[in-house]
């Protein structure tokens, strides 16, 4: 009360002072309107390149004609609800409901066909009778049944009087309300405008409608849909990759606008699905155990959550919500019986086992001692014994594959070019798009022949080795037989560390020194071989690494230049991450891990190439690099940057994404790189730490570190040109790369020097696309160096396909390069030659690689430093955080200065 005066009013001194009077001679300053930032858009093509030997090719694009360009697609919002107004959330129900609407209300819909996306949007060709329409339909058979009424015990459920009825009539009829509201109108003319290079927002929408028609066509055939890929439930399409997981082969099918018109791109696609059949068989296979009694049930609960099962004998379908806490013989529920003493229903506590065996007369052979499957709600469980449950087919498996599963999948899904062409022709025939009424009404007709394109084969760049020797790679390959490394390092203070690998270490060291001598690398004798103490062999990986380092420190006189580490497992060793972290982040020691199985000259040469690059040497150089005759780059200080973000597997929603940016150093070289790696929020594709201003004078961003390194390693020269290769972004994100990431990079440059205005070249590299090329009448893949920039490329934007590598197995996948910005002014020929040359500077292999080296290095750096933080698969509750703000992203440890600018990732 003390802030009030005696008369109850607020004290005067608690009020703010009145504003000062404005003098009469003051002229108000006119507020300047804020300058609107000009958005950058991808640049248009600057003509076609001409270098290289011409080659006629076929591609998996099929020409599409659109006869009806005067019509309009009308877009409607779809709301599906139950009778009581609750929205329908179950996947797959929408399509069934809309099919029933079409059957029941054909005349009200003017006999129109729908293109429905399965969720909240529907398109028709021409308008419906009114802008808002409401329908009511009844469905007898709804697989995504919300209140899983069935003949199973409910924890504290409704009276069981329906039990007998339900056995006779397992599916309950349900009533749905459907509301369609007009949203927008899309002219078909937008497609033909886009083909002339006049893009509008409408064009993307019109193409999306055509793609939705393809999805709907596949859904009607009972396919699993994964974006624009469709998978039939056909045993012929399955390949078992172990662990209860199948590779399922299907087809990708999407419309593309190209220079020669609209085309349908069809390709083979593979997704991972759960092996259908008894749940218990899947779990045994998934956990690799002998019998159900050895299963880890906590892990099983995570794996099974949200999978769909059918139960026997009713054949009803449910979604798994969890497992019972107790075994089937001990888990009880309240069974309600009719006709108690006073006419009320009596209740009885019975076990699930007793209910099924004695009340339902179902014989249970092994479920008694195992948990039950729960398909009910959290507060109202519904239990089934394990052996009555079978997984239904075509359910995606989204967890990361093990190394063995991945290898098995690659081996079983590869196809030679001729086989792939045959499979794709058959797929187009069997998909029978001609029968799809919506496509027919749009006047869409699809050619059955592969599109012919003209490719060019670029000449491989000449390479330089030691002793002034040079060599022209043949078929994208070369070797170091009788050749010396161009810039060898000397390996002096070094030692061998053996984590219980079985190996003739003395022989290995002898052969390594001898092999190095032949390649021009001088290797001294190692200080010692440190063998792991047998008592730590079963200890956790971090403990094993700690103990080994204590042992090394007690014996070595000073810090070694290099450690060669022998690991017992060839792939996925748990020791790898802790070992690398200890060496690079804590001690600044260069290290090479090997798991020697077959040691021969080729193996040792490959190991030495990696060691030499890590220690600052170079294995081979481009001839033009040594002669300083690369167009533009050799004349003007130029930094080349590779950027990539790697995410956890689709099933892991809370693992930080890892952004890696690598940059060239020691200009005029383009073969030497260093990396900067940071974590960021899960599943975020845009790199958010390129510029990170922490005070008026301080920037802790990635670019500052890389630009300063270029300056100090290139004779105190600032780069006048910055060439950026960005991996892993889709076409819908190009504008973000140009307007968010590039802005951050420019800010980082300006923060270093306000007057500095470097020129930029921004190129996106895509491997995740579905365009393939074939040589007509030849069983071979396209030759390395094949480039295509016509006919099936974008009608307006600057893009080209390049297959720089020699595809030895399967069908080669070209890289699709999109030039988003070029302020430097490369000619199309010079740009394609530069991109091609950057596939030949990868220091750890003797082959041309399929994508430019800076992007490959960014992958390697992200993968290696990602191992520093081994994230467990979190429990199923962790992805939601219960509505709390997301926890802070854990940071990666900083590398020691003496290794941070090395090619530690090689």
């Amino acid at each position: 009360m003390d802030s009030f005066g005696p008369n109850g009013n607020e004290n005067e001194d608690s009020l703010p002072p009145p504003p000062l009077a404005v003098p009469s001679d003051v002229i108000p300053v006119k507020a300047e309107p804020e300058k609107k930032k000009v958005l950058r858009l991808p640049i248009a093509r600057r003509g076609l390149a001409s270098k290289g030997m011409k080659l006629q090719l076929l591609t998996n694009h099929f020409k599409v004609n659109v006869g009806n360009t005067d019509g309009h697609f009308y877009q409607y919002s779809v709301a599906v609800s139950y009778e009581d107004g609750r929205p329908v959330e179950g996947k797959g129900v929408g399509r069934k409901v809309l099919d029933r609407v079409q059957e029941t209300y054909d005349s009200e819909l003017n006999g129109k066909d729908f293109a429905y996306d399965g969720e909240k949007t529907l398109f028709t060709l021409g308008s419906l009778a009114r802008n808002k329409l409401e329908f009511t339909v009844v469905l007898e058979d709804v697989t995504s049944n919300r209140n899983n009424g069935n003949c199973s015990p409910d924890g504290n459920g409704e009276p069981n009087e329906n039990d007998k009825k339900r056995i006779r009539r397992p599916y309950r009829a349900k009533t749905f309300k459907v509301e369609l509201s007009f949203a927008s109108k899309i002219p078909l003319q937008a497609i033909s405008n886009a083909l002339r290079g006049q893009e509008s927002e409408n064009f993307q929408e019109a193409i999306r409608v055509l793609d939705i028609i393809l999805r709907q066509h596949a859904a009607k055939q009972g396919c699993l849909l994964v974006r624009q890929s469709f998978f039939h439930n056909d045993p012929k399409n399955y390949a078992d990759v172990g662990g209860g997981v199948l590779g399922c082969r299907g087809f990708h099918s999407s419309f593309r606008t190209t220079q020669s018109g609209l085309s349908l791109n069809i390709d083979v696609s593979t997704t991972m699905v759960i092996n259908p059949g008894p749940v218990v068989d899947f779990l045994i296979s998934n956990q690799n155990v002998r019998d159900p009694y050895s299963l880890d049930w906590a892990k099983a609960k995570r794996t099974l959550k949200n999978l769909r099962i059918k139960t026997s004998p009713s054949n009803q379908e449910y979604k798994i919500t969890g497992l019972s806490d107790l075994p089937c013989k001990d888990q009880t529920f309240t069974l309600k019986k009719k006709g108690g003493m006073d006419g009320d229903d009596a209740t009885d506590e019975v076990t699930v086992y007793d209910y099924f065996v004695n009340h339902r007369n179902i014989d249970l052979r092994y479920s008694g001692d195992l948990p039950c499957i729960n398909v009910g709600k959290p507060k109202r469980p519904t239990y089934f014994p394990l052996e009555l449950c079978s997984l239904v087919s075509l359910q995606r498996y989204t967890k990361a594959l093990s190394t063995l599963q991945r290898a098995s999948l690659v081996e079983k899904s590869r196809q030679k070019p001729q086989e792939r062409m045959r499979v794709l022709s058959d797929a187009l025939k069997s998909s029978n798009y001609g029968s799809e009424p919506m496509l027919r009404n749009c006047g869409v007709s699809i050619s059955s022949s592969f599109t012919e394109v003209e490719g060019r084969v670029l000449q491989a760049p000449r390479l330089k080795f030691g002793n002034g020797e040079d060599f022209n790679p043949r078929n994208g390959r070369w070797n170091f037989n009788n050749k010396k490394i161009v810039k060898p390092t000397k390996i002096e203070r070094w030692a061998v560390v053996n984590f219980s690998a079985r190996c003739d270490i003395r022989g290995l060291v002898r052969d390594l020194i001898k092999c190095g001598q032949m390649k021009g690398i001088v290797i001294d004798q190692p200080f010692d071989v440190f063998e792991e103490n047998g008592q730590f062999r079963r200890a956790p990986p971090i403990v094993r690494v700690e103990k080994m380092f204590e042992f090394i420190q007690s014996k070595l006189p000073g810090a070694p230049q290099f450690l060669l580490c022998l690991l017992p497992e060839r792939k996925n060793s748990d020791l790898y991450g802790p070992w690398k972290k200890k060496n690079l982040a804590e001690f600044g020691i260069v290290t090479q891990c090997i798991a020697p199985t077959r040691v021969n000259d080729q193996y040792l040469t490959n190991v030495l190439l990696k060691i030499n690059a890590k220690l600052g040497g170079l294995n081979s150089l481009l001839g033009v690099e040594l002669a300083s005759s690369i167009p533009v780059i050799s004349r003007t200080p130029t930094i080349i940057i590779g950027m990539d973000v790697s995410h956890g597997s689709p099933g892991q929603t809370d693992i930080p994404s890892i952004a890696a940016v690598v940059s060239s150093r020691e200009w005029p070289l383009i073969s030497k790189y260093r990396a900067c790696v940071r974590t960021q929020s899960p599943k975020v594709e845009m790199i958010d730490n390129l510029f990170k201003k922490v005070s008026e004078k301080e920037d802790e961003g990635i670019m500052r570190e890389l630009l300063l390194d270029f300056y100090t390693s290139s004779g105190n020269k600032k780069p006048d040109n910055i060439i950026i290769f960005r991996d892993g972004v889709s076409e819908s994100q190009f504008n973000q790369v140009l307007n968010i990431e590039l802005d951050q990079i420019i800010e980082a440059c300006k923060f270093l020097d306000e007057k500095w205005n470097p020129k930029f070249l921004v190129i996106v590299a895509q491997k995740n696309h579905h365009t393939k090329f074939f040589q007509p009448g030849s069983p071979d893949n396209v030759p390395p160096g094949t480039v295509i920039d016509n006919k099936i490329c974008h009608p307006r934007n600057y893009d080209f396909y390049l297959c720089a590598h020699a595809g030895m197995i399967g069908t080669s996948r070209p890289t699709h390069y999109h030039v988003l910005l070029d302020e430097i002014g490369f000619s199309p020929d010079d740009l394609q030659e530069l991109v091609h040359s950057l596939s030949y500077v990868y220091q750890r292999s003797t082959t041309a690689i399929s994508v430019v080296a800076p992007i490959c290095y960014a992958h390697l750096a992200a993968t290696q430093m990602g191992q520093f933080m081994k994230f467990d698969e979190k429990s199923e509750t962790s992805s939601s955080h219960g509505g709390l703000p997301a926890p802070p992203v854990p940071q990666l440890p900083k590398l020691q200065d003496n290794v941070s600018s090395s090619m530690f990732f090689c």
Side-chain angles (χ1 to χ4, degrees):
M1 285 297 286
D2 52 349
S3 70
F4 285 82
N7 57 359
N9 293 334
E10 214 173 340
N11 279 341
E12 298 221 346
D13 55 356
S14 66
L15 293 171
L20 295 169
V22 179
S24 56
D25 57 343
V26 169
I27 300 163
V29 179
K30 189 179 175 192
E32 287 290 321
E34 203 178 317
K35 278 190 181 168
K36 202 169 178 208
K37 187 175 172 293
V38 179
L39 284 183
R40 300 183 193 93
L41 294 171
I43 61 169
R45 187 180 299 282
R46 294 178 176 168
L48 302 174
S50 57
K51 276 188 182 172
M53 188 184 73
K54 288 188 168 55
L55 182 67
Q56 292 306 312
L57 301 169
L58 296 174
T59 179
N60 56 338
H61 284 239
F62 299 86
K63 185 146 182 54
V64 176
N65 283 315
V66 184
N68 174 2
T69 53
D70 303 329
H72 285 78
F73 286 127
Y74 281 71
Q75 179 179 338
Y76 293 88
S77 300
V78 179
V80 182
S81 57
Y82 294 101
E83 257 180 314
D84 59 7
R86 283 175 306 141
V88 172
E89 282 148 9
K91 272 200 169 167
V93 180
R95 285 193 193 277
K96 291 187 173 149
V97 172
L98 265 289
D99 284 348
R100 180 53 58 89
V101 167
Q102 212 165 357
E103 286 166 28
T104 317
Y105 295 97
D106 189 52
S107 56
E108 285 91 328
L109 297 167
N110 308 339
K112 282 207 180 299
D113 294 297
F114 292 162
Y116 175 50
D117 72 351
E119 291 179 18
K120 294 190 173 148
T121 313
L122 171 150
F123 299 89
T124 59
L125 192 60
S127 69
L128 295 174
R130 292 191 303 285
N131 281 352
K132 195 158 193 174
L133 293 161
E134 288 187 9
F135 306 103
T136 305
V137 289
V138 177
L139 278 191
E140 292 78 41
D141 165 11
V142 183
T143 20
S144 306
N145 208 333
R146 280 179 63 88
N147 47 344
N148 302 302
N150 67 16
C151 11
S152 78
D154 288 338
N156 49 2
E158 60 198 288
N160 244 18
E161 73 222 30
N162 289 332
D163 218 54
K164 292 191 178 70
K165 283 186 203 164
R166 288 193 205 140
I167 294 169
R168 286 198 305 274
R169 192 178 60 128
Y171 300 121
R172 271 194 165 168
K174 272 198 170 318
T175 303
F176 296 92
K177 288 198 295 201
V178 179
E179 201 174 275
L180 304 183
S181 332
F182 171 73
S184 68
K185 183 171 155 182
I186 304 154
L188 273 162
Q189 185 68 43
I191 296 174
S192 42
N193 290 350
L195 297 171
R196 291 200 296 273
Q198 304 164 356
E199 278 191 24
S200 60
E201 282 174 32
N202 283 336
F203 136 74
Q204 292 288 5
E205 283 298 302
I207 295 289
R208 182 173 152 243
V209 180
L210 293 179
D211 282 343
I212 285 170
I213 297 171
L214 297 184
R215 280 175 61 85
Q216 176 173 279
H217 186 73
K220 283 179 180 164
Q221 296 169 1
C223 292
L224 164 67
L225 311 181
V226 182
R227 292 181 292 279
Q228 283 302 126
S229 295
F230 316 128
F231 303 91
H232 286 270
N233 183 18
D234 181 346
K236 286 205 304 291
N237 299 336
Y238 292 139
D240 194 333
V241 298
V245 182
L246 306 175
C248 178
R249 183 181 290 170
F251 297 98
H252 167 91
S253 192
S254 66
F255 288 99
R256 313 279 305 169
T257 47
T258 70
Q259 291 168 24
S260 57
L262 194 64
S263 70
L264 181 69
N265 178 204
I266 296 189
D267 192 22
V268 174
S269 186
T270 304
T271 193
M272 309 315 300
V273 295
I274 302 272
N275 198 349
V279 171
V280 70
D281 293 353
F282 164 71
L283 289 175
I284 287 170
S285 177
N286 183 251
Q287 296 190 17
N288 196 20
V289 293
R290 280 202 310 277
D291 54 52
Y293 307 104
S294 321
L295 287 168
D296 170 346
W297 290 103
K299 191 174 172 189
K301 184 177 177 181
R302 288 200 300 272
T303 310
L304 292 176
K305 189 165 170 71
N306 292 334
L307 290 180
R308 296 191 322 280
I309 52 165
K310 276 206 164 148
T311 57
S312 100
S314 67
N315 218 21
Q316 176 68 299
E317 194 176 301
Y318 303 98
K319 187 191 274 188
I320 298 177
T321 52
L323 297 174
S324 62
D325 298 330
L326 299 171
C328 187
K329 276 186 171 157
D330 303 330
Q331 183 67 53
T332 60
F333 70 97
T334 309
L335 178 66
K336 300 191 176 174
K337 297 180 177 174
K338 289 199 80 171
M341 294 283 285
D342 309 323
D344 292 335
D345 288 351
T347 60
D348 194 2
E349 283 291 312
V350 294
T351 66
V352 176
Y353 184 85
D354 177 39
Y355 171 79
F356 277 92
V357 172
N358 299 323
H359 291 250
R360 299 276 304 281
N361 298 324
I362 294 171
D363 186 27
L364 296 179
R365 288 174 301 120
Y366 58 80
S367 298
D369 299 317
L370 304 175
C372 305
I373 299 272
N374 180 9
V375 298
K377 303 272 185 310
K379 293 198 173 145
R380 208 180 112 186
T382 303
Y383 295 123
F384 282 100
L386 195 65
E387 68 192 83
L388 301 184
C389 303
S390 283
L391 291 158
V392 302
S393 45
L394 290 182
Q395 298 193 74
R396 282 185 78 197
Y397 178 80
T398 55
K399 294 184 174 55
L401 295 182
S402 69
T403 310
L404 284 173
Q405 285 175 320
R406 193 173 290 281
S408 171
L409 177 67
V410 168
E411 189 188 336
K412 289 174 177 175
S413 57
R414 63 170 67 122
Q415 291 173 314
K416 284 280 183 201
Q418 292 291 333
E419 185 194 350
R420 187 173 283 242
M421 283 182 79
R422 181 183 55 73
V423 167
L424 293 179
S425 289
D426 292 348
L428 183 60
K429 279 195 201 89
S430 64
S431 52
N432 192 15
Y433 288 132
S435 69
E436 177 54 52
M438 277 290 279
L439 290 180
R440 275 211 310 273
N441 297 342
C442 299
V444 167
S445 60
I446 300 166
S447 159
S448 59
S449 50
F450 286 73
T451 298
E452 293 177 21
V453 291
E454 184 178 86
R456 290 169 292 110
V457 183
L458 302 179
Q459 194 176 347
R462 201 166 176 74
L463 298 179
K464 285 277 180 191
F465 298 97
N467 295 346
E469 224 184 308
D470 51 11
F471 182 75
N472 281 339
R474 294 188 193 95
N475 198 27
R477 313 177 83 77
W478 61 97
N479 59 48
F480 275 93
N481 298 345
N482 311 319
K483 292 187 190 70
K484 294 261 196 291
I485 276 168
V486 70
K487 286 192 179 176
T489 51
K490 187 174 184 199
I491 303 175
E492 296 166 315
R493 303 181 317 281
W494 72 290
V496 182
V497 171
N498 182 21
F499 281 103
S500 310
R502 293 203 181 115
C503 169
D504 169 13
I505 295 178
R506 300 285 164 208
L508 176 75
V509 169
R510 183 191 64 235
D511 293 346
L512 193 70
I513 292 172
K514 189 173 151 200
C515 184
Q517 207 175 355
M518 290 168 68
K519 306 288 176 268
I521 301 177
V522 177
I523 307 175
D524 292 352
Q525 285 293 330
F527 177 84
D528 204 347
V529 174
F530 296 104
E531 294 278 0
E532 181 176 37
N533 184 331
Q535 75 186 71
F536 301 125
R537 200 175 295 179
R538 299 253 179 278
I542 292 175
V543 173
R544 292 173 72 179
V545 168
E546 286 287 346
K547 294 293 179 191
M548 182 61 88
F549 254 91
E550 285 169 18
F551 182 32
I552 295 169
Q553 282 174 298
S554 69
K555 297 284 189 201
L556 281 183
Q561 176 202 17
F562 170 70
L563 288 175
L564 180 69
C565 172
L566 276 63
L567 296 174
E569 301 95 2
R570 227 184 113 233
K571 292 276 185 190
N572 285 9
S573 170
D574 288 339
L575 291 161
Y576 182 86
W579 174 257
K580 287 283 182 188
K581 182 179 175 182
K582 195 84 177 159
N583 279 274
L584 297 172
E586 292 182 35
F587 289 95
I589 299 168
V590 173
T591 172
Q592 175 63 49
C593 294
I594 58 173
T597 42
R598 291 199 305 274
V599 176
N600 54 24
D601 187 55
Q602 181 65 58
Y603 178 83
L604 293 171
T605 301
N606 289 345
V607 169
L608 281 169
L609 293 180
K610 289 162 65 113
I611 295 171
N612 187 54
K614 286 176 180 179
L615 289 171
L618 280 169
N619 302 324
S620 59
L621 280 169
L622 301 174
V624 286
E625 198 175 0
L626 215 53
S628 290
S629 59
I630 306 169
V632 183
I633 291 174
S634 296
R635 291 196 307 275
T636 314
T638 302
I639 185 171
I640 298 176
I641 285 171
M643 301 179 8
D644 181 45
V645 178
S646 61
H647 309 287
S649 64
Q652 301 168 320
T653 49
D654 37 19
I655 287 187
S657 293
I658 296 180
V661 184
V662 304
S663 62
S664 61
R665 55 201 310 269
E666 296 181 25
W667 176 82
L669 292 183
I670 61 168
S671 291
K672 219 169 195 186
Y673 293 83
R674 59 145 307 157
C676 183
V677 185
R678 306 273 175 95
T679 50
Q680 58 186 40
S681 302
K683 309 290 183 206
V684 172
E685 185 51 60
M686 291 299 120
I687 300 177
D688 62 7
N689 275 325
L690 294 166
F691 175 63
K692 190 180 178 186
K693 187 175 171 181
V694 288
S695 72
E696 284 308 307
K697 295 266 173 71
E698 271 183 296
D699 162 24
E700 289 181 357
I702 294 171
M703 285 310 299
R704 179 187 177 88
E705 190 178 314
L706 301 179
L707 292 167
L708 288 174
D709 175 78
F710 179 89
Y711 182 78
T712 51
S713 69
S714 307
N716 291 356
K717 289 188 173 67
K718 285 193 294 245
D720 293 330
N721 297 328
I722 298 181
I723 297 176
I724 298 165
F725 287 97
R726 178 66 160 97
D727 187 32
V729 291
S730 63
E731 285 166 49
S732 62
Q733 295 167 314
F734 287 177
N735 286 350
Q736 288 171 279
V737 171
L738 277 178
N739 294 291
I740 298 173
E741 289 186 342
L742 184 57
D743 272 0
Q744 281 192 56
I745 294 170
I746 292 169
E747 278 189 82
C749 294
K750 293 287 184 197
F751 200 80
L752 284 165
D753 179 355
E754 187 57 46
K755 298 189 188 73
W756 178 29
N757 289 310
K759 291 178 178 169
F760 288 92
L761 168 63
V762 180
I763 300 176
V764 167
Q766 288 179 336
K767 291 278 290 179
N768 202 6
H769 60 83
H770 287 278
T771 296
K772 302 284 192 300
F773 297 103
F774 306 92
Q775 295 196 65
S778 163
D780 298 329
N781 271 306
V782 296
T786 299
V787 64
I788 293 96
D789 61 1
N790 60 71
K791 209 154 181 186
I792 58 141
C793 290
H794 197 279
R796 174 199 170 271
N797 295 357
Y798 189 176
D799 65 333
F800 61 91
Y801 292 89
L802 173 64
C803 205
H805 65 298
M808 308 308 282
I809 46 179
T811 305
S812 291
R813 178 183 296 197
T815 300
H816 192 184
Y817 291 101
H818 301 260
V819 184
L820 303 189
L821 178 69
D822 180 11
E823 299 173 337
I824 300 169
F826 278 91
S827 72
D829 276 315
D830 286 349
L831 185 60
Q832 288 175 13
E833 293 254 287
L834 171 66
V835 171
H836 185 222
S837 298
L838 284 170
S839 298
Y840 281 81
V841 301
Y842 190 56
Q843 294 298 307
R844 42 185 259 166
S845 85
T846 55
T847 59
I849 53 174
S850 64
V851 68
V852 290
I855 279 179
C856 263
Y857 289 146
H859 279 307
L860 291 175
T863 305
Q864 184 168 131
M865 288 192 69
Q867 300 272 342
F868 285 15
M869 315 165 78
K870 269 288 189 194
F871 302 100
D872 300 323
E873 288 206 355
K874 304 287 200 315
S875 69
E876 67 273 10
T877 54
S878 61
S879 57
S880 61
H881 299 295
L884 299 171
V889 176
Q891 297 303 305
L892 287 167
K894 213 169 158 29
L895 299 187
Q896 292 293 322
D897 291 346
N898 57 328
V899 289
S900 63
S901 59
S902 73
M903 289 177 70
F904 67 86
F905 42 80
C906 244

